[in-house]
Amino acid sequence: MTAYVPPMDLDEFRQAGHDLIDWIADYWERLEDLPVLSQVAPGDIRASLPASPPEAGEPWADIMADVDSLILPGVTHWQSPNFFAYFPANASPPSVLGELLSAGLGVQGMLWATSPACTELETHMLDWMIELCGLPDRFLSTGPGGGTIQDSASSGALVAILSARERVAGQWRMPELVAYTSEHAHSSLEKGVRIAGLFAEQIRVIPSDENHAMDPVKLREAMVADIVEDRRPFFVQATTGTTSTTALDPIEAIADVCKDFGAWLHVDGAFAGSAAVAPEYRFVNAGLQRADSYSFNPHKWLLTNFDCSLFYIADRGPMISALSVLPEYLRNEATEKGAVIDYRDWQISLGRRFRALKLWFVIRTHGAEGLANFVRSHVDMAQDFAERIGNHPSYEIVAPNPLSLVTFRHIGGDAENERIRDTINASGDAYLTHTKINDQVVLRVSIGSQHTEQRHVDAMYGLLDTLA
Ligand SMILES: *Cc1c(COP(=O)(O)O)cnc(C)c1O
């Protein structure tokens, strides 16, 4: 008989845990001084690690020392107040504590029966978010629809595609199906369509208007052209807040087209959806009551660390018939009676974590008012920054900036913009990324870290001014 001796007893765990929370708080405190973008070269981190795992267990203190010396240099500091790249992936103290509690409970929430609180708190949080963000009632769990937490908006898009495919199963054949999206939509649509068993040729990329939003007239034309060829428009993904410029596709007009052709409408609000916690920004969701499904990511802009992507559906029927398989070993009374939600039927994988805890902690500690003020602070800073950059003789604003992302370019051309971006990123003082609009390199300053204050945005402006 081999006896397992845990290397860390509960007293040691208490101590290490307290120290780790201190480590995180210290890290957040000194973030400002760390180079934002990791400056290591490919392979550097692996080369610093032992080639083989240790034969005997090692002291905890040695492991944490290696976190400081080996891991941190290879970390890009997403929580840095000087992080202006991509979109934020912000965290907050209550969300980190929720994550820790979820790990400690170690619950597997695949079925209601495997931990009722895991399912019911999630259902309740998704309904709370409807009230917090003014989302359509048709997504409430008390009706035929409902919401769940996915690992990512990409998974949400895939579930939407599979549900749309299921809705037309038996009427239309797979090779006839066509999905539509805009040229500025996220790549997750193409990936989802391919995973769902369609070919890339079954996707139509609809041109956008002068504001980079999907043009519904072009969408209708594309569908008509497909119908003429005996193809079936089955799915449209619209975006509220595109990744390039936070352009807002006209949901209402797109929904009219979808209705005429019987296509499913999925709305991707991954980033911008969080803005709706402040009532004055609910314009981002105009027309959403016409959507079949919707997703947005509190793990981007709502203080809840990755992963926490909310997925809502107006009629859960096709989703459950697409994703439910009930083997003998999962049979249980609550499921058989149909009295409960089993979230395994709402996602790709079977297993799932207790992610609702961190959302619950975030909502309760901030309140609706605290969450609204958080996004307001970023939008205010971004609008002020946009005004200053727009007035700068060497820069021009290139697209509407309705929220906390500012897109602009140096008037000197692509090489000049790349030089400015690379110089700032190599300095470690701040981190920004680019996109391409009308084939031109455009700089993006995205404001959304939990720690970003006006002085950090001022410093970013100062860097751009100096390099202009
Ligand atoms: C970030 C983003 C996504 C992808 O989100 P994941 O949760 O990482 O899959 C999808 N759509 C838009 C518009 C995004 O900005």
Side-chain angles (χ1 to χ4, degrees):
M1 288 273 279
T2 307
Y4 165 69
V5 183
M8 192 184 263
D9 67 23
L10 290 186
D11 284 334
E12 288 165 329
F13 171 67
R14 272 180 227 281
Q15 188 57 50
H18 293 156
D19 290 350
L20 183 58
I21 295 291
D22 281 342
W23 188 99
I24 296 171
D26 290 344
Y27 170 69
W28 284 350
E29 239 165 32
R30 69 195 168 95
L31 262 175
E32 183 163 3
D33 302 322
L34 300 174
V36 191
L37 174 65
S38 168
Q39 307 286 331
V40 300
D44 281 358
I45 301 298
R46 283 205 68 182
S48 72
L49 296 167
S52 302
E55 187 57 37
E58 299 181 89
W60 181 250
D62 292 1
I63 300 171
M64 281 308 293
D66 283 352
V67 170
D68 284 316
S69 62
L70 306 182
I71 301 302
L72 267 194
V75 170
T76 289
H77 302 291
W78 284 70
Q79 303 310 311
S80 166
N82 301 313
F83 183 97
F84 300 105
Y86 307 107
F87 281 136
N90 58 46
S92 64
S95 84
V96 170
L97 294 175
E99 189 74 63
L100 189 60
L101 179 57
S102 165
L105 292 173
V107 157
Q108 230 289 15
M110 54 198 176
L111 302 169
W112 177 87
T114 60
S115 222
C118 181
T119 293
E120 293 194 19
L121 184 66
E122 185 163 327
T123 309
H124 208 67
M125 287 309 99
L126 272 283
D127 281 358
W128 268 17
M129 288 304 291
I130 289 176
E131 191 176 329
L132 268 173
C133 295
L135 301 178
D137 284 352
R138 68 194 308 216
F139 294 136
L140 282 168
S141 65
T142 42
T148 185
I149 305 179
Q150 304 272 347
D151 56 359
S152 66
S154 306
S155 297
L158 177 55
V159 170
I161 293 161
L162 295 171
S163 306
R165 200 187 73 182
E166 188 71 16
R167 194 169 70 170
V168 299
Q171 311 164 48
W172 297 344
R173 293 181 314 110
M174 284 271 283
E176 298 169 345
L177 303 182
V178 185
Y180 304 79
T181 190
S182 98
E183 59 178 319
H184 290 293
H186 193 262
S187 55
S188 53
L189 180 273
E190 179 176 348
K191 197 163 172 177
V193 166
R194 286 203 250 153
I195 295 170
L198 279 66
F199 293 113
E201 299 81 67
Q202 289 168 271
I203 300 171
R204 302 284 175 270
V205 178
I206 305 302
S208 41
D209 63 17
E210 69 283 2
N211 289 329
H212 318 292
M214 191 195 289
D215 183 341
V217 175
K218 299 262 167 51
L219 175 66
R220 184 179 292 276
E221 285 167 10
M223 286 191 179
V224 168
D226 278 319
I227 292 281
V228 168
E229 302 280 321
D230 281 334
R231 286 188 286 262
R232 310 286 175 190
F234 88 110
F235 184 84
V236 175
Q237 175 164 309
T239 311
T240 49
T242 59
T243 315
S244 264
T245 67
T246 52
L248 303 165
D249 288 348
I251 306 303
E252 188 86 44
I254 292 170
D256 285 340
V257 181
C258 289
K259 184 163 179 258
D260 289 347
F261 293 85
W264 186 285
L265 175 57
H266 177 65
V267 175
D268 173 8
F271 168 71
S274 295
V277 291
E280 67 271 33
Y281 306 139
R282 292 200 179 144
F283 60 83
V284 299
N285 287 334
L288 194 57
Q289 69 283 357
R290 306 276 309 274
D292 292 294
S293 54
Y294 169 62
S295 68
F296 81 100
N297 291 351
H299 71 224
K300 275 186 167 154
W301 196 16
L302 216 53
L303 295 155
T304 311
N305 61 286
F306 194 87
D307 51 350
C308 184
S309 177
L310 309 189
F311 175 75
Y312 288 100
I313 195 160
D315 173 10
R316 57 184 181 255
M319 170 181 68
I320 289 176
S321 83
L323 298 178
S324 179
V325 183
L326 188 61
E328 186 55 35
Y329 49 80
L330 292 179
R331 284 187 186 277
N332 67 86
E333 201 185 328
T335 297
E336 311 259 311
K337 280 191 176 148
V340 297
I341 290 178
D342 290 325
Y343 279 127
R344 71 185 185 107
D345 298 334
W346 297 51
Q347 63 177 25
I348 309 304
S349 58
L350 171 64
R352 58 201 327 278
R353 309 188 303 115
F354 200 161
R355 286 182 287 230
L357 278 174
K358 59 186 172 187
L359 192 57
W360 191 42
F361 286 6
V362 166
I363 297 172
R364 289 188 65 184
T365 51
H366 288 84
E369 199 179 75
L371 293 174
N373 285 339
F374 179 68
V375 300
R376 279 179 187 131
S377 72
H378 295 144
V379 176
D380 287 352
M381 287 189 281
Q383 296 305 317
D384 174 65
F385 176 82
E387 198 178 317
R388 280 190 286 165
I389 274 288
N391 289 329
H392 194 288
S394 305
Y395 292 102
E396 60 185 4
I397 296 286
V398 298
N401 298 292
L403 299 166
S404 59
L405 170 72
V406 184
T407 45
F408 59 98
R409 61 185 259 110
H410 190 282
I411 54 178
D414 285 359
E416 195 61 4
N417 284 280
E418 284 166 352
R419 176 188 67 85
I420 292 166
R421 177 201 61 195
D422 295 346
T423 308
I424 291 175
N425 294 347
S427 75
D429 293 339
Y431 180 26
L432 81 170
T433 49
H434 78 282
T435 186
K436 268 198 170 172
I437 299 173
N438 301 330
D439 263 341
Q440 291 191 314
V441 175
V442 166
L443 300 176
R444 296 167 83 262
V445 163
S446 162
I447 299 172
S449 156
Q450 59 164 328
H451 305 290
T452 301
E453 298 168 20
Q454 185 62 48
R455 64 194 171 89
H456 303 106
V457 181
D458 292 344
M460 180 78 217
Y461 179 83
L463 289 169
L464 291 162
D465 181 40
T466 308
L467 290 167

